[in-house]
Amino acid sequence: AALGATLESRVRVSIFNSNPFESKRYAMAPVRRPDDGSLRKHSIGAGCEPVVCTACAGKMIFAPSNPPKLSQQVGAALERAGRLAEAMDAVHPRLVENDDRTVLAVQYLSIAIEHRAATLLLIGYGARTSAFALVRACYEAVVRGLWTLVTATDIQISDLRATSVAPGFDKVVRELSKNDTFSDFAKLKTDSWRYLSDYAHGGPQQLSRWLSAVEGIAPVHSDEETVDLLAFLDLYAYMACVGIHAAAGEQVPRSVSEMVHAELKNSMQSG
């Protein structure tokens, strides 16, 4: 729990709490280049310099046979995430009880794990914008899964199964946070939901990472925040894994728990 709180605090500083339009960090210098078909002129105000839209020059096409070159920092974080995924998958329960609470909880938690797996693929092929957009979906699926398993009443479970309408997320977080084990969820929701939503819906946090002094309109999510994002999702993938094991009436093997703890602690120390 202490490790998770420390990691979440670090991630909030890195990717959630920065000024989304801080000019010093994302300075937009005039770009003067020959018109190659991707040049877009600013139409607001007089005397504005044109700016190149680098992303339009074929950079949105990702071919598995030609992935972008990754920095050592991001490559190492992806390798760690892959090791954790393999370890957790190797002990994944194959059978759970066929009751509404258990099935719904495992569905939510499995969705979170798949979202996290998708972010690894996206980052590996340079699509950091989409990877950041998935963070909220992963976080929300974990929270809803744990709420379904631990906190939801039998009536709420019956209503959810009968109507397919889940309670609002604020209500889910409040109820889950009453459980001491998950009390930090309310703080994370308060501190970071706005920024998670910004990334998911193309708000200022996301837009500010599409301004480059060198390439013009192009993605500039930094290696540092990408590594922190991967560590954040590693933690939530593990929480989903713990939840699925609990739904199956099991505990995550100690060897896997110790490995996850050591890997996340090492990522914090080396970051």
Side-chain angles (χ1 to χ4, degrees), residues 32-39 52:
R32 300 180 179 87
R33 297 180 182 178
D35 187 356
D36 59 359
S38 65
L39 196 64
V52 170

Side-chain angles (χ1 to χ4, degrees), residues 110-157:
S110 298
I111 287 170
I113 290 173
E114 183 165 314
H115 283 324
R116 184 259 190 172
T119 64
L120 306 190
L121 294 173
L122 289 165
I123 290 171
Y125 286 102
R128 295 185 182 184
T129 301
S130 298
F132 275 67
L134 272 176
V135 179
R136 176 180 139 162
C138 181
Y139 164 70
E140 187 170 353
V142 171
V143 173
R144 287 191 179 277
L146 295 175
W147 170 82
T148 302
L149 185 64
V150 176
T151 309
T153 65
D154 291 341
I155 293 175
Q156 287 173 317
I157 296 295

Side-chain angles (χ1 to χ4, degrees), residues 3-267:
L3 176 65
T6 302
L7 177 60
E8 288 175 0
S9 175
R10 168 178 159 177
V11 171
R12 283 197 294 273
V13 170
S14 173
I15 65 175
F16 298 146
N17 287 352
S18 59
N19 182 337
F21 291 115
E22 185 181 3
S23 59
K24 183 168 64 174
R25 183 175 184 185
Y26 297 103
M28 189 61 187
V31 179
R32 300 180 179 87
R33 297 180 182 178
D35 187 356
D36 59 359
S38 65
L39 196 64
R40 303 293 182 266
K41 291 188 177 181
H42 202 302
S43 61
I44 302 176
C48 293
E49 294 287 347
V51 57
V52 170
C53 181
T54 307
C56 293
K59 291 198 172 182
M60 291 187 291
I61 301 172
F62 302 99
S65 60
N66 187 32
K69 184 177 180 180
L70 300 173
S71 69
Q72 181 178 0
Q73 188 180 14
V74 173
L78 281 173
E79 288 179 3
R80 180 197 69 233
R83 289 194 300 271
L84 294 177
E86 289 179 2
M88 289 185 284
D89 186 64
V91 297
H92 193 287
R94 302 305 172 189
L95 293 173
V96 296
E97 292 295 329
N98 188 17
D99 62 84
D100 286 345
R101 181 184 298 275
T102 301
V103 171
L104 283 167
V106 172
Q107 285 176 319
Y108 277 129
L109 297 169
S110 298
I111 287 170
I113 290 173
E114 183 165 314
H115 283 324
R116 184 259 190 172
T119 64
L120 306 190
L121 294 173
L122 289 165
I123 290 171
Y125 286 102
R128 295 185 182 184
T129 301
S130 298
F132 275 67
L134 272 176
V135 179
R136 176 180 139 162
C138 181
Y139 164 70
E140 187 170 353
V142 171
V143 173
R144 287 191 179 277
L146 295 175
W147 170 82
T148 302
L149 185 64
V150 176
T151 309
T153 65
D154 291 341
I155 293 175
Q156 287 173 317
I157 296 295
S158 297
D159 288 345
L160 177 56
R161 178 57 78 192
T163 66
S164 298
V165 177
F169 194 59
D170 283 339
K171 179 179 178 65
V172 168
V173 172
R174 284 196 307 270
E175 292 183 357
L176 183 61
S177 296
K178 292 177 182 178
N179 185 301
D180 290 342
T181 303
F182 306 109
S183 59
D184 287 339
F185 275 118
K187 179 171 175 53
L188 178 63
K189 168 69 164 56
T190 300
D191 292 348
S192 304
W193 186 249
R194 168 189 162 194
Y195 305 105
L196 290 168
S197 299
D198 248 24
Y199 284 117
H201 300 301
Q205 292 286 327
Q206 194 71 279
L207 288 174
S208 69
R209 285 153 176 83
W210 269 78
L211 291 175
S212 167
V214 177
E215 296 186 303
I217 300 174
V220 289
H221 302 77
S222 73
D223 286 348
E224 178 186 13
E225 63 193 6
T226 301
V227 168
D228 281 348
L229 179 71
L230 286 167
F232 178 84
L233 291 175
D234 287 345
L235 174 64
Y236 275 79
Y238 177 64
M239 293 173 70
C241 177
V242 171
I244 292 173
H245 276 266
E250 304 174 3
Q251 290 187 335
V252 177
R254 184 173 179 178
S255 60
V256 175
S257 297
E258 290 177 347
M259 175 194 175
V260 172
H261 189 278
E263 289 278 13
L264 291 177
K265 185 175 181 180
N266 182 61
S267 74

